[in-house]
Amino acid sequence: MKDKIAISVIIPIYNASKFIKNTLDSVCAQTLTNIEIICVNDCSTDNSLEILNNYAEKDSRIHVYSNQINSGCAISRKNVFPHVKGKYIAFVDHDDMIDKDYLFKLYEKIKKDDYDIVCSNVKFHALNGKTEICDFPTIYNDGSVDMLKVMTKYLISVIKTDKLHRVMLYGVWAKIYKTEFIIEKQITPISEREVSSEDFLFNLQAFLKAKKVAYIPDIFYYYNYVHGSMSKQYKHRSF
């Protein structure tokens, strides 16, 4: 069964009733169909859980889990790792959207040369309607040792800037990770209630331990800034 599922998409949800339908619609519409969609309800106080259950009734690929206590994004992801059946893992925030070819394109790339991680570009949508493209220099040959070193160096260097959101390496979104690699190397999400950025530390572990990384210079992930969203509150001044 595990080999039949290409990618496990993990979505932590907390009070996302205004956004989660658009997010789930974009995930369910993927051209890569042999996926599972793991939704983690983090003790929402709105009707998010009702929406998730309604979607799960209509699409058997959707599996809904609920935390016993409110735990945050990172621990919500960590809690469902034992349930992952896909060969690869993708993380999607509950208020973002993905292009219909997102998973297919990254999956085709990662399985081609057995990469540990594949990254793509991101388009940021701000509250004022402005958009920004978050990309990475394309002068390097993806998959090479040099590319991995450059990515790791670039990831670490962003803590010196005030524009972390411009660096696509920073978040766990716009990437897929080999499940076996994540488990064997014990790359574990750390609660955002204990550290300044759970995404940064997760990727720092991943890039330092990866052997092969690839990059696709296309935009497949649409990141939405939502006021008050815990997943968007990067406290880079606290590093």
Side-chain angles (χ1 to χ4, degrees):
M1 180 68 177
K2 183 175 181 178
D3 293 335
K4 293 182 180 179
I5 297 177
I7 299 177
S8 297
V9 183
I10 299 177
I11 312 173
I13 295 102
Y14 176 71
N15 289 354
S17 59
K18 294 180 180 179
F19 324 107
I20 192 60
K21 290 182 180 180
N22 288 335
T23 301
L24 286 175
D25 285 343
S26 71
V27 178
C28 292
Q30 292 296 293
T31 53
L32 181 70
T33 58
N34 57 327
I35 63 174
E36 65 174 358
I37 305 164
I38 301 177
C39 299
V40 192
N41 175 47
D42 192 20
C43 300
S44 297
T45 57
D46 63 2
N47 66 328
S48 291
L49 181 57
E50 179 183 352
I51 295 172
L52 295 176
N53 287 333
N54 287 338
Y55 269 79
E57 290 179 3
K58 299 174 183 177
D59 193 324
S60 61
R61 299 174 301 173
I62 298 177
H63 309 286
V64 180
Y65 297 91
S66 293
N67 293 334
Q68 295 300 309
I69 59 173
N70 179 262
S71 305
C73 288
I75 300 305
S76 294
R77 294 167 183 154
K78 182 179 179 180
N79 285 346
V80 294
F81 272 11
H83 303 291
V84 166
K85 296 178 181 177
K87 188 171 183 180
Y88 304 98
I89 296 174
F91 300 105
V92 176
D93 284 354
H94 67 201
D95 43 15
D96 295 340
M97 296 177 65
I98 55 178
D99 182 271
K100 63 182 178 64
D101 292 323
Y102 169 60
L103 295 179
F104 174 77
K105 293 292 187 180
L106 270 63
Y107 177 67
E108 288 296 301
K109 187 71 173 180
I110 199 168
K111 72 176 186 177
K112 181 180 179 181
D113 288 304
D114 195 30
Y115 294 110
D116 294 318
I117 309 168
V118 170
C119 313
S120 70
N121 291 341
V122 183
K123 178 178 283 189
F124 291 91
H125 294 267
L127 292 173
N128 60 7
K130 293 184 178 181
T131 61
E132 289 184 276
I133 305 299
C134 183
D135 56 10
F136 188 78
T138 58
I139 60 174
Y140 307 103
N141 294 320
D142 61 277
S144 69
V145 174
D146 287 344
M147 181 63 166
L148 177 56
K149 287 182 178 179
V150 169
M151 281 188 165
T152 305
K153 181 179 179 180
Y154 195 27
L155 175 63
I156 295 173
S157 70
V158 301
I159 66 174
K160 300 177 182 178
T161 77
D162 288 332
K163 297 182 177 179
L164 301 184
H165 64 283
R166 296 180 59 85
V167 184
M168 63 90 182
L169 296 176
Y170 187 75
V172 295
W173 22 260
K175 300 171 184 64
I176 60 174
Y177 306 80
K178 185 192 300 182
T179 304
E180 183 180 21
F181 161 70
I182 294 296
I183 294 174
E184 287 187 353
K185 299 299 181 180
Q186 297 181 333
I187 301 170
T188 306
I190 303 171
S191 173
E192 63 270 27
R193 297 171 185 178
E194 299 178 14
V195 297
S196 294
S197 173
E198 73 279 10
D199 284 10
F200 173 83
L201 290 179
F202 184 89
N203 277 329
L204 187 58
Q205 296 177 70
F207 279 92
L208 288 173
K209 295 178 180 180
K211 291 183 178 180
K212 297 179 68 178
V213 174
Y215 167 63
I216 301 176
D218 296 306
I219 300 169
F220 296 115
Y221 195 98
Y222 305 104
Y223 182 103
N224 293 308
Y225 284 106
V226 177
H227 180 70
S229 174
M230 284 300 295
S231 62
K232 314 306 185 195
Q233 295 177 13
Y234 296 118
K235 307 183 187 86
H236 55 277
R237 289 293 187 186
S238 301
F239 270 109

